Structures are given as structure tokens and as C-alpha cells.
Amino acid sequence: KIKFIINILNVLNNENDKSSKVKLLYFLYPHINCAEKKHEFITKLLNLSSVDFFKELSNYGIYFKENEFYQNPFYESLEYIVRSFNLTDDANSYIQFFLEVVFEFTQKNEASITSFLEYWDLKEDKLSIVAPEAENAVRIMTIHKSKGLEFPVIIYPYNLDIYKDNKSKVWYKNNEDSTLKTALINYGNSLKYIGAQGEELYNHKREENELDNFNLIYVALTRAVEQLYVVLEKKINAKGEEDVKQSSGLFINFLKNENIWEDEKITYIFGDSKRMQTITKTNKEVIDQQKFITNSWKNQNISIVANSSVLWETEKGEAIAYGNLIHEILSKIKTKTDLVTVIDSYEFNGTITPHEKTEITKVISNVINHEKLLPYFSQNVTVYNEQEILTKEHTIVIPDRLIFEGKKVTILDYKTGKPETKHKLQINSYGQVLGDLNYQVQKKILVYINNKILIKEV
């Protein structure tokens, strides 16, 4: 299911990613009511654009809207995928942990599909569910991490090459008359063939590796309080001799010295396997979550405050505050004659300084006096700024500015920052909603307010 969610993100990020499309369609096929054969089903949807792709899935009882995904905060967008594809009929610890990873990512990073997919590629092999301590739990850890700890039972399933070292380098002193006095060279068998110094360096490093690995084996074999299980490969050459360069060879050599080694025998037991003590654990009341609970915050009476203290005095916080201020001022301007009065009120109540007033007046004046926007700020039009509209799906959308001429309407939406696909999807969704209300949408215009005013008609 987690791989399915990642494939959804891959398709949203790149609609031409046919590999991810095939994988997610393979996943969906057994779970939908489909009269077509699997190959026909996949072929039918494979070459569709992402919008048409998800629209076609509605014919199979799956309702996922791309514009709804982009309008949500990133974490909520991932929960939207979980809900839309019914991935949590029961409590799924993997999905729960995955969403915790997403939440942690959004707290530390600028969340987007691309940035999260890059993060996931780096982290997916290292992430695992954190299970609670329990009687039947098995903890998996490196020998280094186990140092200083003890456990009732230890399983050591690893054959160690005592002298293997592929990464080390050594400093080789050049005794000849040369500007290069020393050289950092790779450690390996060839080192012992380049003079007395090379042989000395080789033997010294070999002894270090031997000591390190003997210490490692010692740590592994002394963690157990009651039972120790050692699982090794049986490495015997054609002469029936063990390889003492391997930890398995050391154990075989030990068994031979004890006169209990048998060529055909593979299991050796020492001591009494009966537990010496029974650890009594206090039973704690555990709540077993039977169902995964997820619900869109849009269905609740919740407002999200963006300018939290987490963002104060940060570049991101300043950008958000600037964008919000521009939106707020524009929401109070019906016609171009309102500009001076509205901005003066912001200076009067201390929201902006006189210097900021000059800059903001210039920016907003460039918007409302732009040759492509000037007609929409005249006194001869009917305007609704930030008007809430209830959709047939019982959600609320709020376009920045609607200009009406009878049953004809033009939509303006303001943005700060660089153009993104989700902006186009958002304003198209506004157009769909107004179309459903029997209005004829004349134009859908995105206004990007930065150092320069960029007008993009969708």
C-alpha cells in the first residue's frame, strides 16, 4: 500500500511515468469491479493524461480529484489519497507510520511532491515501524549498537571475514628523492609486495583488522544472559579443512579441539536449554485500534493559522506574511479609487510602516493599473472579493476576485511566488464550480505579484 501511494505521487509529479502507472493499476485491478481483463484495463488507462486518468478511474468506483489533492496542505493531501482509494479498511500500522514520516518531513522541509519523493528515495530502506517492547518482540541491531546491553536470548546469524578490508587506506612514505614525500594508497594484498615498508604496513593493518573483528565477535557472544544461538556457513575446502580466516572456521576449529566435530552434523548444543528464570512483566492495558481514522479538516469547523511562531523571523515566514498582506489589501479594493483609502488605513493602525506603505502602494498600483487588468477595477463592474461558494460536493471555495456582467463572469486569482501547476488546477476548479451554477466563465486569470506583474490567462 505504501508503494501504491508513492506510485500515485510519481504519476502526479510526472503524468508520463508509465512504469508507475502500470504498478498502481496492477495494485488496483483486484480491488475494483472490472469486467475487462487486466491487460485491457491497463492498456485503456496507460496513455491518458493525469486528469483524464483519474477521471476514468471514477468509472470503477474510485473518486480522486487532482485539483482537490493540490488544494490541500501536503500532509492532508496524503490522507486524501488514503481516503480516496480506501486503503484503510482496518488499522494499518504501515500507513500510520508512513503518515508520521510525512508529517515529520513537512515540519522540517518545504513540502512538495518532488522534494518528498527525493527524500523518500534516500530514506525508504532505512525506515521501519517502531514496535513496542513485548514478550514476543525481536530486536534487530548491529553488534556495535548492542555493546553494553544484555538480552535473555541472542541470535547471531552472521559469518565474519576476519581480515577483509576493502575501504582502508594507508600512508606510504616515499624514500626516494621526490617532491611527493608521502602517498595515501589503498590497503590490500598487493601492498606487501612493494618493499619492506609495504609489507610492514600490510601486516600492521592486518593485525588491527584481526583485533577489531575478534573484539566484535566477543561483543556478539557475550550479550546473552541465558541462550545464545550462533548461525554460520559451513565453509570447508576439498581437503575437509576449515577456513580460519572466517569466524565459521574458528568455531569449527573449536569443535575439533573439543573432539566433537562430525562432518555430517550441523547442529551442536551446549548447556541446558531450560530457562533459568521467568521474567514477570506487568500487563499494561493496551488499546487495540481496530480502524484507521482519517477525516478532512475541511469537514470540521477548523481554521488554520499560518503565521505561527515557528515561522517568525524566517525567510519563509516573511514570504508568507507578505503574500497574505497583499491578498488582504486587494480583498478590500473594489475599484482603483479605493487604493489610497485602504492602504492609509493599514498605516494608521500600525500594520505597515511608512516605508512599507510606499513599496506596497507601488506593487498594488501596478496590479490594478495593469493594462490587462484595468477593466476589472473600473467603477462599472460588479465585483465580489473572496466570496465563499458552496460546491455540490459540500466543500467551500473562495476565489480572490469575481467580476460579473450579467451571467458572464471573469475570475482573478492572486499569487506570490513562481507559477505552479496547482495554481492552474485551482482556478480551473473555480471555473467548474461557477459553471455548475450556470454562469458563463469568460476568462480565468492568474496574477503573479512579484518584482514584476505576470499575467497568465488559463
Side-chain angles (χ1 to χ4, degrees), residues 333 335-347 357 361 364 368:
I333 296 176
T335 69
K336 60 183 297 184
T337 58
D338 297 328
L339 175 62
V340 175
T341 304
V342 171
I343 293 185
D344 282 347
S345 69
Y346 277 81
E347 183 190 20
K357 173 186 174 182
T361 301
I364 296 183
I368 64 180

Side-chain angles (χ1 to χ4, degrees), residues 21-77:
K21 278 187 182 179
V22 169
K23 291 174 184 176
L24 72 87
L25 290 172
Y26 259 99
F27 176 88
L28 286 176
Y29 184 80
H31 304 288
I32 60 176
N33 185 16
C34 181
E36 302 159 298
K37 292 183 178 180
K38 184 185 292 185
H39 181 75
E40 295 172 351
F41 168 70
I42 293 173
T43 304
K44 181 179 178 181
L45 279 76
L46 186 59
N47 295 311
L48 298 178
S49 67
S50 60
V51 175
D52 293 336
F53 177 83
F54 292 112
K55 186 176 180 181
E56 183 65 28
L57 285 178
S58 64
N59 296 327
Y60 301 92
I62 298 172
Y63 302 97
F64 177 86
K65 295 184 178 180
E66 193 173 2
N67 62 326
E68 178 77 8
F69 173 90
Y70 283 114
Q71 288 176 18
N72 290 320
F74 189 74
Y75 176 86
E76 173 67 20
S77 296

Side-chain angles (χ1 to χ4, degrees), residues 382-394:
T382 301
V383 174
Y384 288 95
N385 286 332
E386 296 193 350
Q387 179 68 51
E388 293 186 354
I389 305 174
L390 180 66
T391 70
K392 61 183 180 181
E393 289 86 12
H394 305 292

Side-chain angles (χ1 to χ4, degrees), residues 146-406:
S146 73
K147 192 172 183 179
L149 303 176
E150 61 179 27
F151 306 91
V153 178
I154 288 287
I155 303 172
Y156 172 60
Y158 185 65
N159 191 53
L160 189 65
D161 188 335
I162 295 169
Y163 299 103
K164 186 175 182 180
D165 189 332
N166 294 327
K167 298 180 180 179
S168 292
K169 296 180 183 293
V170 295
W171 286 105
Y172 186 87
K173 293 181 181 179
N174 191 353
N175 296 322
E176 298 179 4
D177 186 16
S178 171
T179 55
L180 184 65
K181 301 299 181 183
T182 58
L184 187 65
I185 61 177
N186 292 330
Y187 167 78
N189 285 331
S190 58
L191 182 61
K192 60 184 177 182
Y193 299 114
I194 54 174
Q197 182 190 174
E199 186 176 4
E200 181 182 351
L201 290 171
Y202 172 81
N203 291 332
H204 178 72
K205 188 63 181 176
R206 179 180 170 86
E207 290 171 2
E208 286 184 347
N209 289 339
E210 182 183 65
L211 181 60
D212 287 344
N213 287 318
F214 281 168
N215 283 333
L216 204 61
I217 295 171
Y218 169 80
V219 171
L221 301 183
T222 54
R223 299 308 93 204
V225 176
E226 298 186 18
Q227 296 180 359
L228 171 65
Y229 295 84
V230 181
V231 184
L232 300 163
E233 293 179 77
K234 185 180 180 182
K235 292 196 172 184
I236 301 291
N237 61 24
K239 297 179 181 179
E241 299 172 343
E242 67 277 10
D243 183 0
V244 292
K245 295 179 182 179
Q246 306 283 330
S247 58
S248 60
L250 298 179
F251 283 92
I252 294 172
N253 188 259
F254 164 75
L255 295 172
K256 286 183 175 180
N257 287 333
E258 293 293 313
N259 295 318
I260 56 176
W261 170 255
E262 298 177 24
D263 290 339
E264 303 302 323
K265 188 176 179 179
I266 61 173
T267 303
Y268 296 85
I269 301 174
F270 300 89
D272 188 354
S273 62
K274 185 178 179 180
R275 296 294 298 270
M276 294 185 295
Q277 60 180 334
T278 302
I279 300 174
T280 304
K281 293 190 176 183
T282 304
N283 291 328
K284 296 181 180 179
E285 184 178 352
V286 178
I287 298 174
D288 187 10
Q289 183 178 333
Q290 299 295 328
K291 186 173 179 62
F292 182 84
I293 300 171
T294 174
N295 197 4
S296 174
W297 62 269
K298 292 184 178 182
N299 296 334
Q300 314 298 324
N301 187 22
I302 297 174
S303 297
I304 295 179
V305 180
N307 58 334
S308 70
S309 59
V310 176
L311 299 176
W312 291 351
E313 298 183 352
T314 65
E315 184 176 340
K316 181 180 177 181
E318 290 174 1
I320 292 174
Y322 173 79
N324 290 343
L325 182 60
I326 294 294
H327 270 79
E328 186 177 333
I329 293 174
L330 283 167
S331 72
K332 299 182 186 307
I333 296 176
K334 288 289 185 75
T335 69
K336 60 183 297 184
T337 58
D338 297 328
L339 175 62
V340 175
T341 304
V342 171
I343 293 185
D344 282 347
S345 69
Y346 277 81
E347 183 190 20
F348 180 76
N349 63 27
T351 304
I352 59 176
T353 65
H355 174 72
E356 290 171 337
K357 173 186 174 182
T358 302
E359 293 298 320
I360 291 173
T361 301
K362 180 181 177 181
V363 170
I364 296 183
S365 179
N366 288 339
V367 173
I368 64 180
N369 290 301
H370 194 283
E371 59 179 359
K372 293 184 179 180
L373 302 178
L374 193 58
Y376 306 121
F377 290 89
S378 70
Q379 296 186 13
N380 302 321
V381 294
T382 301
V383 174
Y384 288 95
N385 286 332
E386 296 193 350
Q387 179 68 51
E388 293 186 354
I389 305 174
L390 180 66
T391 70
K392 61 183 180 181
E393 289 86 12
H394 305 292
T395 59
I396 293 175
V397 297
I398 310 175
D400 288 335
R401 187 177 182 90
L402 300 176
I403 304 95
F404 290 91
E405 295 177 53

